[in-house]
Amino acid sequence: ITMKKAIVAMLLMAAFLLGGGGLISIVFSSIAGGGVEQSFIYPIYAGIIVLAGLIVGAVDIIVNEIRELKKAMEKK
């Protein structure tokens, strides 16, 4: 089940970056500045932000699983 979620997340991110590339460029160019010569970096910025979110989500799932295991061990 977890691998399916990871694959879905990667596909959604790819679709977002391919379809929302113009929006990403507008947002990051207003925040980070720069012109056309720096525009190739904006999808990388978006990927880093999404990757950070995925890492936080994965860590949250792992921590919850560890807590559930600890509770199950304490009951025995």
Side-chain angles (χ1 to χ4, degrees):
I1 295 174
T2 307
M3 191 62 164
K4 288 181 183 178
K5 289 181 181 178
I7 291 172
V8 168
M10 289 189 299
L11 291 174
L12 288 175
M13 181 58 194
F16 175 71
L17 283 178
L18 292 175
L23 180 63
I24 291 170
S25 294
I26 292 169
V27 170
F28 282 120
S29 65
S30 64
I31 293 172
V36 175
E37 61 274 2
Q38 285 90 18
S39 64
F40 69 93
I41 298 175
Y42 300 146
I44 297 172
Y45 290 157
I48 291 170
I49 291 169
V50 172
L51 180 62
L54 287 174
I55 291 171
V56 169
V59 168
D60 185 45
I61 291 170
I62 292 169
V63 168
N64 287 335
E65 290 292 325
I66 291 172
R67 286 182 183 154
E68 289 177 13
L69 285 172
K70 286 176 78 173
K71 287 179 184 177
M73 296 289 285
E74 289 174 357
K75 289 181 180 179
K76 290 183 178 182

Coordinates of all heavy atoms in Angstrom, one line a residue:
I1 N 0.8 -1.2 0.0 CA 0.0 0.0 0.0 C 0.9 1.2 0.0 O 0.6 2.2 -0.7 CB -0.9 0.0 1.2 CG1 -1.9 -1.2 1.1 CG2 -1.7 1.3 1.3 CD1 -2.8 -1.4 2.3
T2 N 2.0 1.2 0.7 CA 2.8 2.4 0.8 C 3.5 2.7 -0.5 O 3.6 3.9 -0.9 CB 3.9 2.2 1.9 OG1 3.3 1.8 3.1 CG2 4.7 3.4 2.1
M3 N 3.9 1.7 -1.2 CA 4.5 1.9 -2.5 C 3.5 2.5 -3.5 O 3.9 3.3 -4.3 CB 5.1 0.5 -3.0 CG 6.0 0.7 -4.2 SD 7.4 1.7 -3.7 CE 8.5 1.4 -5.0
K4 N 2.3 2.1 -3.4 CA 1.3 2.7 -4.3 C 1.1 4.2 -4.0 O 1.0 5.0 -4.9 CB -0.1 2.0 -4.1 CG -0.1 0.6 -4.7 CD -1.5 0.0 -4.5 CE -1.5 -1.5 -5.0 NZ -2.8 -2.1 -4.8
K5 N 1.2 4.5 -2.8 CA 1.0 6.0 -2.4 C 2.2 6.7 -2.9 O 2.1 7.9 -3.4 CB 0.9 6.1 -0.9 CG -0.4 5.6 -0.3 CD -0.5 5.8 1.2 CE -1.8 5.4 1.7 NZ -1.8 5.5 3.2
A6 N 3.4 6.1 -2.8 CA 4.6 6.8 -3.3 C 4.6 7.0 -4.8 O 4.9 8.1 -5.3 CB 5.9 6.0 -2.9
I7 N 4.1 6.0 -5.5 CA 4.0 6.1 -7.0 C 2.9 7.2 -7.4 O 3.2 8.0 -8.3 CB 3.7 4.7 -7.6 CG1 4.9 3.8 -7.5 CG2 3.3 4.9 -9.1 CD1 4.6 2.4 -7.9
V8 N 1.8 7.2 -6.7 CA 0.8 8.2 -6.9 C 1.3 9.6 -6.7 O 1.1 10.5 -7.5 CB -0.5 7.9 -6.1 CG1 -1.4 9.0 -6.1 CG2 -1.2 6.6 -6.6
A9 N 2.1 9.7 -5.6 CA 2.6 11.0 -5.3 C 3.6 11.5 -6.4 O 3.6 12.7 -6.8 CB 3.3 11.0 -3.9
M10 N 4.4 10.6 -6.9 CA 5.4 10.9 -7.9 C 4.6 11.3 -9.2 O 5.0 12.3 -9.9 CB 6.3 9.8 -8.2 CG 7.3 9.6 -7.1 SD 8.6 8.4 -7.4 CE 7.7 6.9 -7.7
L11 N 3.6 10.6 -9.6 CA 2.8 10.9 -10.8 C 2.1 12.2 -10.6 O 2.1 13.0 -11.6 CB 1.8 9.7 -11.1 CG 2.5 8.4 -11.5 CD1 1.4 7.3 -11.7 CD2 3.2 8.6 -12.8
L12 N 1.5 12.5 -9.5 CA 0.9 13.7 -9.3 C 1.9 14.9 -9.4 O 1.5 15.9 -9.9 CB 0.1 13.8 -7.9 CG -1.1 12.9 -7.9 CD1 -1.7 12.9 -6.4 CD2 -2.2 13.4 -8.8
M13 N 3.0 14.7 -8.8 CA 4.1 15.8 -8.8 C 4.5 16.0 -10.3 O 4.7 17.1 -10.7 CB 5.2 15.3 -8.0 CG 6.3 16.4 -7.9 SD 5.7 17.9 -7.3 CE 7.1 19.0 -7.8
A14 N 4.7 14.9 -11.0 CA 5.1 15.1 -12.4 C 4.0 15.8 -13.2 O 4.3 16.7 -14.0 CB 5.4 13.7 -13.1
A15 N 2.7 15.5 -13.0 CA 1.6 16.1 -13.7 C 1.6 17.6 -13.3 O 1.3 18.5 -14.1 CB 0.3 15.4 -13.4
F16 N 1.8 17.9 -12.0 CA 1.7 19.3 -11.5 C 2.9 20.1 -12.1 O 2.6 21.2 -12.5 CB 1.8 19.3 -10.0 CG 1.9 20.7 -9.4 CD1 0.8 21.5 -9.4 CD2 3.1 21.1 -8.9 CE1 0.9 22.8 -8.9 CE2 3.2 22.4 -8.3 CZ 2.1 23.2 -8.4
L17 N 4.1 19.5 -12.2 CA 5.2 20.3 -12.7 C 5.0 20.5 -14.2 O 5.4 21.5 -14.7 CB 6.5 19.6 -12.4 CG 7.0 19.8 -11.0 CD1 8.3 19.0 -10.7 CD2 7.2 21.2 -10.6
L18 N 4.5 19.5 -14.9 CA 4.4 19.6 -16.3 C 3.2 20.6 -16.7 O 3.3 21.4 -17.6 CB 4.2 18.3 -17.0 CG 5.4 17.3 -17.0 CD1 5.0 16.0 -17.5 CD2 6.6 18.0 -17.7
G19 N 2.1 20.4 -16.0 CA 0.9 21.2 -16.3 C 1.0 22.6 -15.6 O 0.5 23.6 -16.2
G20 N 1.6 22.7 -14.4 CA 1.6 23.9 -13.7 C 2.9 24.7 -13.8 O 3.2 25.5 -13.0
G21 N 3.7 24.3 -14.8 CA 5.0 25.0 -15.0 C 5.0 26.5 -15.1 O 5.8 27.2 -14.5
G22 N 4.0 27.0 -15.8 CA 3.8 28.4 -16.0 C 3.5 29.1 -14.7 O 4.1 30.2 -14.3
L23 N 2.6 28.5 -13.9 CA 2.2 29.0 -12.6 C 3.4 29.0 -11.6 O 3.6 30.0 -10.9 CB 1.1 28.3 -12.0 CG 0.5 28.7 -10.6 CD1 0.0 30.1 -10.7 CD2 -0.5 27.8 -10.1
I24 N 4.2 27.9 -11.7 CA 5.4 27.9 -10.8 C 6.3 29.0 -11.2 O 6.9 29.6 -10.3 CB 6.0 26.5 -11.0 CG1 5.1 25.4 -10.3 CG2 7.4 26.4 -10.3 CD1 5.5 24.0 -10.6
S25 N 6.5 29.2 -12.5 CA 7.5 30.2 -12.9 C 7.0 31.6 -12.4 O 7.8 32.4 -12.0 CB 7.6 30.2 -14.4 OG 8.2 29.0 -14.8
I26 N 5.7 31.9 -12.5 CA 5.2 33.2 -12.1 C 5.4 33.4 -10.6 O 5.9 34.4 -10.1 CB 3.7 33.3 -12.4 CG1 3.6 33.4 -13.9 CG2 3.1 34.5 -11.8 CD1 2.1 33.3 -14.4
V27 N 5.1 32.3 -9.8 CA 5.2 32.4 -8.3 C 6.7 32.6 -7.9 O 7.0 33.5 -7.2 CB 4.6 31.2 -7.7 CG1 4.9 31.1 -6.2 CG2 3.1 31.2 -7.9
F28 N 7.6 31.7 -8.4 CA 8.9 31.8 -8.0 C 9.7 33.0 -8.6 O 10.6 33.5 -7.9 CB 9.7 30.5 -8.4 CG 9.4 29.4 -7.4 CD1 8.8 28.2 -7.9 CD2 9.7 29.5 -6.1 CE1 8.5 27.2 -7.0 CE2 9.4 28.4 -5.2 CZ 8.8 27.3 -5.7
S29 N 9.3 33.5 -9.8 CA 10.0 34.6 -10.3 C 9.7 35.9 -9.5 O 10.5 36.7 -9.3 CB 9.6 34.9 -11.7 OG 8.3 35.2 -11.9
S30 N 8.4 35.9 -8.9 CA 8.1 37.1 -8.1 C 8.8 36.9 -6.7 O 9.1 37.9 -6.1 CB 6.6 37.2 -7.9 OG 6.1 36.0 -7.2
I31 N 9.0 35.7 -6.2 CA 9.6 35.5 -4.9 C 11.2 35.6 -5.0 O 11.8 36.3 -4.3 CB 9.2 34.2 -4.3 CG1 7.7 34.2 -4.0 CG2 10.0 33.9 -3.0 CD1 7.2 32.8 -3.5
A32 N 11.7 34.8 -5.9 CA 13.2 34.6 -6.0 C 13.8 35.7 -6.9 O 15.0 35.9 -6.8 CB 13.5 33.2 -6.5
G33 N 13.0 36.3 -7.8 CA 13.6 37.2 -8.7 C 14.3 36.5 -9.9 O 14.1 35.3 -10.0
G34 N 15.0 37.2 -10.6 CA 15.7 36.6 -11.8 C 14.9 36.7 -13.0 O 13.7 37.1 -13.0
G35 N 15.5 36.4 -14.1 CA 14.8 36.5 -15.4 C 14.7 35.2 -16.1 O 14.7 34.1 -15.4
V36 N 14.7 35.2 -17.4 CA 14.6 34.0 -18.2 C 15.8 33.1 -18.0 O 15.6 31.8 -17.9 CB 14.5 34.4 -19.7 CG1 14.5 33.1 -20.5 CG2 13.3 35.2 -19.9
E37 N 16.9 33.6 -17.7 CA 18.1 32.8 -17.6 C 18.1 31.9 -16.3 O 18.8 30.9 -16.2 CB 19.4 33.6 -17.6 CG 19.5 34.7 -16.5 CD 18.9 36.0 -16.8 OE1 18.3 36.1 -17.9 OE2 18.9 36.9 -16.0
Q38 N 17.3 32.3 -15.3 CA 17.1 31.5 -14.1 C 15.8 30.7 -14.1 O 15.6 30.0 -13.1 CB 17.1 32.4 -12.8 CG 18.5 32.9 -12.5 CD 18.8 34.2 -13.1 OE1 17.9 34.9 -13.6 NE2 20.0 34.6 -13.2
S39 N 15.0 30.8 -15.1 CA 13.7 30.1 -15.1 C 13.8 28.6 -15.0 O 12.9 28.0 -14.6 CB 12.9 30.6 -16.2 OG 13.5 30.2 -17.5
F40 N 14.9 28.0 -15.5 CA 15.0 26.6 -15.5 C 15.1 26.0 -14.1 O 14.9 24.8 -13.8 CB 16.2 26.1 -16.3 CG 17.5 26.5 -15.8 CD1 18.2 25.6 -15.0 CD2 18.1 27.7 -16.0 CE1 19.4 25.9 -14.4 CE2 19.3 28.0 -15.5 CZ 20.0 27.1 -14.7
I41 N 15.5 26.9 -13.1 CA 15.7 26.4 -11.7 C 14.3 26.3 -11.0 O 14.2 25.6 -10.0 CB 16.6 27.4 -11.0 CG1 18.0 27.4 -11.7 CG2 16.8 27.1 -9.5 CD1 18.9 28.4 -11.1
Y42 N 13.3 27.0 -11.4 CA 12.0 27.0 -10.7 C 11.4 25.7 -10.5 O 10.9 25.4 -9.4 CB 11.1 28.0 -11.3 CG 11.6 29.4 -11.4 CD1 11.3 30.3 -12.5 CD2 12.4 30.0 -10.4 CE1 11.7 31.6 -12.5 CE2 12.9 31.3 -10.5 CZ 12.5 32.1 -11.5 OH 13.0 33.3 -11.6
P43 N 11.4 24.8 -11.5 CA 10.8 23.5 -11.2 C 11.7 22.7 -10.2 O 11.1 21.9 -9.5 CB 10.9 22.8 -12.6 CG 10.9 23.9 -13.6 CD 11.6 25.0 -12.9
I44 N 13.0 22.9 -10.2 CA 13.8 22.3 -9.1 C 13.4 22.8 -7.8 O 13.3 22.0 -6.8 CB 15.3 22.6 -9.4 CG1 15.7 21.9 -10.7 CG2 16.1 22.0 -8.3 CD1 17.1 22.3 -11.2
Y45 N 13.1 24.1 -7.6 CA 12.6 24.6 -6.3 C 11.3 23.9 -5.9 O 11.2 23.5 -4.8 CB 12.4 26.1 -6.4 CG 13.7 27.0 -6.6 CD1 13.6 28.3 -7.1 CD2 14.9 26.5 -6.1 CE1 14.7 29.1 -7.2 CE2 16.0 27.3 -6.2 CZ 15.9 28.6 -6.8 OH 17.0 29.4 -6.9
A46 N 10.4 23.8 -6.9 CA 9.1 23.2 -6.6 C 9.3 21.8 -6.2 O 8.7 21.3 -5.3 CB 8.2 23.3 -7.8
G47 N 10.2 21.1 -6.9 CA 10.5 19.7 -6.5 C 11.1 19.5 -5.2 O 10.7 18.6 -4.4
I48 N 11.9 20.4 -4.8 CA 12.5 20.4 -3.4 C 11.5 20.6 -2.4 O 11.4 19.9 -1.3 CB 13.7 21.4 -3.3 CG1 14.9 21.0 -4.2 CG2 14.1 21.6 -1.9 CD1 15.9 22.0 -4.3
I49 N 10.6 21.5 -2.6 CA 9.5 21.8 -1.7 C 8.6 20.6 -1.5 O 8.2 20.2 -0.4 CB 8.7 23.1 -2.1 CG1 9.6 24.3 -1.9 CG2 7.4 23.2 -1.3 CD1 9.0 25.5 -2.6
V50 N 8.2 20.0 -2.6 CA 7.3 18.8 -2.6 C 8.1 17.6 -1.9 O 7.5 16.9 -1.1 CB 6.8 18.5 -4.0 CG1 6.1 17.2 -4.0 CG2 5.9 19.6 -4.5
L51 N 9.3 17.5 -2.2 CA 10.1 16.4 -1.6 C 10.2 16.6 -0.1 O 10.0 15.6 0.6 CB 11.5 16.4 -2.2 CG 12.4 15.3 -1.7 CD1 11.8 13.9 -2.0 CD2 13.8 15.4 -2.3
A52 N 10.3 17.8 0.3 CA 10.4 18.0 1.8 C 9.0 17.7 2.4 O 9.0 17.1 3.5 CB 10.7 19.5 2.1
G53 N 7.9 18.0 1.7 CA 6.6 17.6 2.2 C 6.4 16.1 2.2 O 5.8 15.6 3.2
L54 N 6.9 15.4 1.2 CA 6.8 13.9 1.2 C 7.6 13.3 2.3 O 7.2 12.3 3.0 CB 7.3 13.4 -0.1 CG 6.3 13.6 -1.3 CD1 7.0 13.1 -2.6 CD2 5.0 12.9 -1.1
I55 N 8.8 13.9 2.6 CA 9.6 13.4 3.7 C 8.9 13.6 5.0 O 8.9 12.6 5.9 CB 11.0 14.0 3.7 CG1 11.8 13.6 2.5 CG2 11.8 13.7 5.0 CD1 13.1 14.3 2.2
V56 N 8.4 14.7 5.2 CA 7.6 15.0 6.5 C 6.5 14.0 6.6 O 6.2 13.5 7.7 CB 7.2 16.5 6.6 CG1 6.2 16.7 7.7 CG2 8.4 17.4 6.7
G57 N 5.7 13.8 5.5 CA 4.6 12.9 5.6 C 5.0 11.5 5.9 O 4.4 10.8 6.7
A58 N 6.1 11.0 5.3 CA 6.6 9.7 5.5 C 7.1 9.5 7.0 O 6.9 8.5 7.6 CB 7.8 9.4 4.6
V59 N 7.8 10.5 7.5 CA 8.3 10.5 8.9 C 7.1 10.4 9.8 O 7.1 9.7 10.8 CB 9.2 11.7 9.2 CG1 9.5 11.8 10.7 CG2 10.5 11.5 8.4
D60 N 6.0 11.2 9.5 CA 4.8 11.2 10.4 C 4.2 9.8 10.4 O 3.8 9.3 11.5 CB 3.8 12.2 9.9 CG 2.6 12.3 10.8 OD1 2.8 12.4 12.0 OD2 1.5 12.3 10.3
I61 N 4.1 9.1 9.3 CA 3.6 7.8 9.2 C 4.4 6.8 10.0 O 3.9 6.0 10.8 CB 3.5 7.3 7.7 CG1 2.4 8.1 7.0 CG2 3.2 5.8 7.7 CD1 2.3 7.9 5.5
I62 N 5.8 6.9 9.9 CA 6.7 6.0 10.6 C 6.6 6.2 12.1 O 6.5 5.3 12.9 CB 8.1 6.2 10.1 CG1 8.3 5.7 8.7 CG2 9.1 5.5 11.0 CD1 9.6 6.1 8.0
V63 N 6.5 7.5 12.5 CA 6.4 7.8 14.0 C 5.1 7.2 14.5 O 5.0 6.7 15.6 CB 6.5 9.3 14.2 CG1 6.1 9.7 15.6 CG2 7.9 9.8 14.0
N64 N 4.0 7.4 13.8 CA 2.7 6.8 14.2 C 2.7 5.3 14.3 O 2.2 4.7 15.3 CB 1.6 7.3 13.3 CG 1.2 8.7 13.5 OD1 1.4 9.3 14.6 ND2 0.7 9.3 12.5
E65 N 3.4 4.7 13.4 CA 3.5 3.2 13.5 C 4.4 2.8 14.7 O 4.0 1.8 15.3 CB 4.2 2.7 12.2 CG 3.3 2.8 11.0 CD 2.1 1.9 11.0 OE1 2.2 0.8 11.6 OE2 1.0 2.3 10.5
I66 N 5.4 3.5 15.0 CA 6.3 3.2 16.1 C 5.5 3.4 17.4 O 5.5 2.5 18.3 CB 7.5 4.0 16.1 CG1 8.5 3.6 15.0 CG2 8.3 3.9 17.5 CD1 9.7 4.5 14.8
R67 N 4.7 4.4 17.5 CA 3.8 4.6 18.7 C 2.8 3.5 18.9 O 2.6 3.0 20.0 CB 3.1 6.0 18.6 CG 4.1 7.1 18.8 CD 3.3 8.4 18.8 NE 4.3 9.5 19.0 CZ 4.1 10.8 18.5 NH1 3.0 11.1 17.9 NH2 5.0 11.7 18.7
E68 N 2.2 3.1 17.8 CA 1.2 2.0 17.8 C 1.9 0.7 18.3 O 1.4 -0.1 19.1 CB 0.5 1.8 16.5 CG -0.4 2.9 16.2 CD -1.1 2.7 14.8 OE1 -0.9 1.6 14.2 OE2 -1.7 3.7 14.3
L69 N 3.1 0.4 17.8 CA 3.9 -0.8 18.2 C 4.2 -0.7 19.7 O 4.1 -1.7 20.4 CB 5.1 -0.9 17.4 CG 4.9 -1.4 15.9 CD1 6.2 -1.4 15.2 CD2 4.4 -2.8 15.9
K70 N 4.6 0.5 20.1 CA 5.0 0.6 21.6 C 3.7 0.4 22.4 O 3.8 -0.3 23.5 CB 5.5 2.0 21.8 CG 7.0 2.2 21.3 CD 7.5 3.6 21.5 CE 7.9 3.8 23.0 NZ 8.5 5.1 23.2
K71 N 2.6 0.9 22.0 CA 1.4 0.7 22.8 C 1.0 -0.8 22.8 O 0.6 -1.3 23.8 CB 0.2 1.5 22.2 CG 0.3 3.0 22.5 CD -0.9 3.7 21.8 CE -0.7 5.2 22.1 NZ -1.8 6.0 21.4
A72 N 1.2 -1.5 21.7 CA 0.9 -2.9 21.6 C 1.8 -3.7 22.5 O 1.4 -4.7 23.1 CB 0.9 -3.4 20.1
M73 N 3.1 -3.3 22.5 CA 4.1 -4.0 23.4 C 3.7 -3.8 24.8 O 4.0 -4.7 25.7 CB 5.5 -3.5 23.0 CG 5.9 -3.8 21.7 SD 6.2 -5.6 21.4 CE 7.8 -5.7 22.2
E74 N 3.3 -2.6 25.2 CA 3.0 -2.3 26.6 C 1.8 -3.1 27.1 O 1.7 -3.4 28.3 CB 2.7 -0.8 26.8 CG 4.0 0.0 26.7 CD 3.7 1.5 26.7 OE1 2.5 1.9 26.8 OE2 4.7 2.3 26.7
K75 N 0.8 -3.4 26.2 CA -0.4 -4.1 26.6 C -0.1 -5.6 26.9 O -0.8 -6.2 27.6 CB -1.4 -4.0 25.5 CG -2.1 -2.6 25.4 CD -3.1 -2.6 24.4 CE -3.7 -1.2 24.3 NZ -4.7 -1.1 23.2
K76 N 1.0 -6.1 26.3 CA 1.3 -7.5 26.4 C 2.1 -7.8 27.7 O 2.4 -7.5 28.6 CB 2.2 -8.0 25.3 CG 1.4 -8.1 24.0 CD 2.2 -8.7 22.9 CE 1.3 -8.8 21.6 NZ 2.1 -9.4 20.6

